[in-house]
Amino acid sequence: MGRIKMDKRSDLKNHVYEVIHTRIIHGIYEPGSMIYEQTLTQELGISRTPVREALNKIEQEGFIRIMPKKGVMVKEITVADMGEIFQVREELEPVIVRLAGPYLSREELLAFKEQFDNEPEQWGEMLGADELPLDTRFHLYIIENCHNSFFMDFMKKIFDRNTQLVIFSKQHKLNSYDARPEHLEIIQHLLEGNYNQASEVMKRHVIQNRNQLIGRLLHYHIS
């Protein structure tokens, strides 16, 4: 009986975690904004315990700062944070493309190609409250097929922060950089089995994206 209660408590904590985590990633709780335990408990109709447990976990992941008697603040996105995210991506994603290449579905790649190619006005937009931008979904598709569980777990954490950054940049119009040609070039190399060339384009793409976003984030903070 106790085990069943523990499972239910764990499920509730995980549910609360997913709700808060998703809202942070998708910019519903923007960087610098405050989250209040009492508001969450009332909204979700639950006690404070699972809310606190979820918030503690999210704080350990680096997304928030819990301030006793004040509330919970969503951490600002800094240029240093961005630099660290892109440093990891620049080193690992080219390797991951080579690893994933042989396992990627031709049908999936062609579907991504069609979306990038035929719907340019929507390529980076949100399609729903819980859905990721197309460019993020493309990168995650490659990561999820690299057949290395350590890379997959690590990069999914990196992409949580990266997705928060991407959505924040779109909400505040910080990113006018059109990466569609690079994504299409990567897809074409993958379709042709040119995994080393796909890796080279991926590295160039990550560097270009980093340079564009850092410049615009600096301008945003200064202005």
Side-chain angles (χ1 to χ4, degrees):
M1 193 71 173
R3 183 175 179 179
I4 294 175
K5 290 181 179 179
M6 181 60 70
D7 289 344
K8 288 182 178 179
R9 176 180 169 182
S10 178
D11 288 345
L12 181 58
K13 182 182 73 173
N14 290 337
H15 170 69
V16 176
Y17 167 84
E18 288 297 334
V19 169
I20 301 171
H21 181 264
T22 298
R23 290 179 181 181
I24 292 172
I25 297 299
H26 289 267
I28 297 170
Y29 298 148
E30 284 204 351
S33 67
M34 298 295 293
I35 305 171
Y36 298 100
E37 282 185 17
Q38 184 174 357
T39 302
L40 282 167
T41 58
Q42 291 174 349
E43 179 186 350
L44 299 176
I46 56 177
S47 68
R48 286 193 171 187
T49 299
V51 171
R52 287 178 177 172
E53 290 175 342
L55 289 172
N56 285 334
K57 182 177 179 181
I58 294 171
E59 184 180 41
Q60 291 172 4
E61 294 173 348
F63 286 100
I64 61 174
R65 183 164 67 247
I66 298 175
M67 300 182 292
K69 299 182 180 179
K70 292 184 179 180
V72 178
M73 188 182 78
V74 180
K75 285 188 176 180
E76 296 278 4
I77 297 173
T78 68
V79 173
D81 292 335
M82 191 185 300
E84 291 179 358
I85 291 168
F86 278 99
Q87 184 180 41
V88 172
R89 291 188 58 195
E90 181 184 341
E91 295 300 325
L92 293 188
E93 281 200 78
V95 176
I96 289 171
V97 167
R98 289 199 301 272
L99 292 175
Y103 302 104
L104 300 177
S105 160
R106 183 174 183 84
E107 289 73 20
E108 289 285 348
L109 289 173
L110 289 172
F112 275 115
K113 182 178 187 297
E114 182 178 4
Q115 291 176 78
F116 280 120
D117 207 16
N118 297 333
E119 301 178 8
E121 73 282 359
Q122 297 178 5
W123 76 272
E125 298 299 324
M126 294 299 293
L127 302 178
D130 297 327
E131 195 165 358
L132 299 173
L134 175 58
D135 52 348
T136 300
R137 286 188 279 123
F138 175 63
H139 285 271
L140 287 174
Y141 171 66
I142 294 174
I143 291 165
E144 288 166 357
N145 286 277
C146 73
H147 284 233
N148 184 308
S149 60
F150 293 100
F151 274 158
M152 290 168 63
D153 290 344
F154 182 61
M155 288 302 292
K156 282 180 180 179
K157 293 177 182 178
I158 292 295
F159 261 84
D160 277 347
R161 300 302 299 272
N162 189 83
T163 300
Q164 182 192 26
L165 169 61
V166 167
I167 293 174
F168 177 83
S169 71
K170 294 182 190 304
Q171 288 174 334
H172 293 271
K173 304 186 185 304
L174 300 182
N175 188 8
S176 60
Y177 164 54
D178 184 358
R180 284 180 298 120
E182 291 165 0
H183 286 117
L184 289 168
E185 191 176 354
I186 292 168
I187 290 171
Q188 190 59 41
H189 284 309
L190 290 171
L191 287 168
E192 295 172 358
N194 300 325
Y195 306 133
N196 286 334
Q197 290 92 325
S199 174
E200 291 171 6
V201 179
M202 178 65 79
K203 189 177 185 73
R204 170 162 44 92
H205 161 62
V206 173
I207 292 171
Q208 176 76 351
N209 199 11
R210 177 199 67 198
N211 293 342
Q212 290 282 333
L213 279 173
I214 285 180
R216 291 184 175 274
L217 187 64
L218 280 169
H219 177 76
Y220 174 82
H221 284 315
I222 291 171
S223 58

